[in-house]
Amino acid sequence: MEIGRGKTGRRAYALDEIGIVPSRRTRDPEEVSISWQIDAYRFDLPVVVSPMDSVVSPRTAIEIGRLGGLAVLDLEGLWTRYDDPQPLLDEVAELGTAAATRRLQEIYTAPIQDELIGRRIEEIRAAGVTTAVRLSPQRTVQHHKAVIDAGVDIFVIRGTTVSAEHVSGRAEPLNLKQFIYELDVPVIVGGCATYTAALHLMRTGAAGVLVGFGGGASHTTRNVLGVVVPMATAISDVAAARRDYMDESGGRYVHVIADGGMGGSGDIAKAIACGADAVMVGSPLARAAEAPGRGFHWGSEAHHPDLPRGRRVEFGTIGTLAEILHGPSSVADGSMNLMGALKRTMATSGYSDIKEFQRVEVVVAPPTP
């Protein structure tokens, strides 16, 4: 499309601009499988919980694992900076809106401690659930040894935008391909939002690629940087890169995980319909009674020391983790029983599992007021 005489742009679509089309066949929701597997790890739910202090603590990571999902602990968060971050989490929940960003910046200046990295990972591992943790590309080289020594199962390298060809004149950038090759654990890396960027990340040997810029409801990247790619188009483009990389690599499958911008069950279903194998969500679970943020939600972008690109958002509390994921729901807005809704969408469309459902027909359906 022509933006002006000197610039053209491709039309892109957000998840709320598309709709899922039922097929000629329907199924019983109880006969639908929503499980997925990455490397040797199989999960009952296609849900990866975002590495955000407001949602994931060692305790909630264990509970989410027991409920069938995967939670990612942020190793650059409060749990690796303080022996007991609970008083600080309580303080953040009491802050006024005007003071929240500055106080978050102050709290997160405490140094990350390798000893605490090991302790948090061991705490989750001891519960018998799959352990996943996150570092940014900038801190991966510094702290990855403590992560591997502690016996993590899945390593997530996540930033607002991660590329396989980062250029820097100030420091030696992380060589993703070499780093992933030398590790003995599966690595999920992202975010990315284009076919080309995703293809390059897949060539590093990553087991999974995150699509999107993370943060969702709590990030302000669009306002601060002007960077945005609507999720329906981004997921579809990265799914195309996965298909072409399979041909290029002789059949190696890289999982596509939609990251951010999914506030309810309908968004989750549409993300998978566009080609995602799983979704990374934060805000839906920030509403849980067990969430460390006590109904408030923020990500790592919110406390950047120089250029914050996120904010603390208040969602309130609507139910337990189990109720939000598995129901029963007491509301009609798609914020509870997320997995029951996904099963019903797949059953209504006639598909029996995630891989089949990725082939469902979608249409452009502008959101109603």
Side-chain angles (χ1 to χ4, degrees):
M1 299 176 63
E2 184 179 281
I3 307 300
R5 289 181 179 272
K7 182 70 69 173
T8 60
R10 183 163 61 105
R11 177 70 165 94
Y13 295 94
L15 291 172
D16 64 357
E17 294 180 286
I18 66 168
I20 294 169
V21 180
S23 68
R24 62 181 177 83
R25 180 187 294 114
T26 58
R27 295 181 181 273
D28 187 325
E30 295 306 313
E31 297 178 1
V32 170
S33 170
I34 56 173
S35 64
W36 75 297
Q37 181 169 335
I38 183 166
D39 204 84
Y41 302 99
R42 184 177 179 84
F43 304 96
D44 293 335
L45 313 179
V47 171
V48 183
V49 184
S50 298
M52 295 177 166
D53 282 342
S54 55
V55 183
V56 180
S57 66
R59 185 170 69 89
T60 58
I62 292 168
E63 179 62 17
I64 290 162
R66 289 172 175 165
L67 290 170
L70 174 68
V72 182
L73 184 70
D74 185 6
L75 295 186
E76 298 176 27
L78 298 178
W79 295 95
T80 58
R81 298 175 190 263
Y82 299 92
D83 285 322
D84 180 14
Q86 193 58 54
L88 293 169
L89 290 164
D90 293 341
E91 179 189 347
V92 172
E94 299 296 334
L95 290 172
T97 301
T101 296
R102 183 175 295 278
R103 183 57 180 145
L104 283 171
Q105 289 175 313
E106 294 170 351
I107 290 171
Y108 283 88
T109 58
I112 298 168
Q113 303 176 46
D114 282 353
E115 187 271 331
L116 285 177
I117 288 177
R119 190 194 306 175
R120 304 309 184 197
I121 292 173
E122 290 166 8
E123 184 179 345
I124 300 171
R125 279 179 56 83
V129 300
T130 303
T131 306
V133 298
R134 171 263 180 186
L135 284 171
S136 66
Q138 294 83 359
R139 295 185 185 268
T140 294
V141 173
Q142 181 181 357
H143 296 292
H144 79 276
K145 189 176 187 302
V147 174
I148 300 303
D149 289 347
V152 75
D153 296 314
I154 297 174
F155 198 150
V156 179
I157 301 174
R158 179 180 185 256
T160 302
T161 303
V162 177
S163 76
E165 297 182 7
H166 181 66
V167 178
S168 175
R170 295 182 300 170
E172 184 67 25
L174 174 66
N175 185 325
L176 273 175
K177 188 170 186 177
Q178 179 181 341
F179 179 80
I180 292 173
Y181 176 78
E182 293 174 352
L183 289 183
D184 291 328
V185 300
V187 176
I188 298 172
V189 63
C192 68
T194 67
Y195 171 95
T196 302
L199 192 58
H200 280 247
L201 289 178
M202 291 173 185
R203 288 169 178 162
T204 66
V209 170
L210 298 171
V211 184
F213 303 121
S218 66
H219 82 62
T220 57
T221 301
R222 179 172 186 162
N223 296 334
V224 177
L225 301 183
V227 173
V228 59
V229 180
M231 282 295 283
T233 295
I235 296 166
S236 300
D237 284 351
V238 175
R242 175 185 60 201
R243 177 199 62 211
D244 292 348
Y245 178 69
M246 282 186 68
D247 292 339
E248 174 188 304
S249 63
R252 184 173 181 271
Y253 189 91
V254 179
H255 291 81
V256 172
I257 303 169
D259 180 10
M262 291 161 287
S265 54
D267 294 330
I268 292 172
K270 287 187 278 189
I272 294 173
C274 287
D277 298 289
V279 297
M280 178 174 275
V281 295
S283 60
L285 293 233
R287 298 177 172 94
E290 304 95 322
R294 293 171 43 191
F296 286 88
H297 185 48
W298 67 93
S300 58
E301 303 88 356
H303 54 78
H304 191 281
D306 302 316
L307 190 65
R309 300 180 302 280
R311 58 178 176 261
R312 188 201 59 167
V313 181
E314 183 176 6
F315 286 116
T317 300
I318 60 173
T320 65
L321 285 169
E323 289 170 338
I324 291 172
L325 287 172
H326 294 298
S329 173
S330 57
V331 295
D333 61 2
S335 60
M336 297 182 73
N337 196 5
L338 303 177
M339 296 299 98
L342 175 59
K343 282 187 173 184
R344 188 165 294 276
T345 301
M346 293 169 61
T348 300
S349 304
Y351 295 92
S352 61
D353 59 39
I354 295 291
K355 295 308 301 177
E356 283 190 0
F357 185 57
Q358 290 172 345
R359 301 196 297 265
V360 70
E361 182 184 355
V362 299
V363 294
V364 177
T368 55

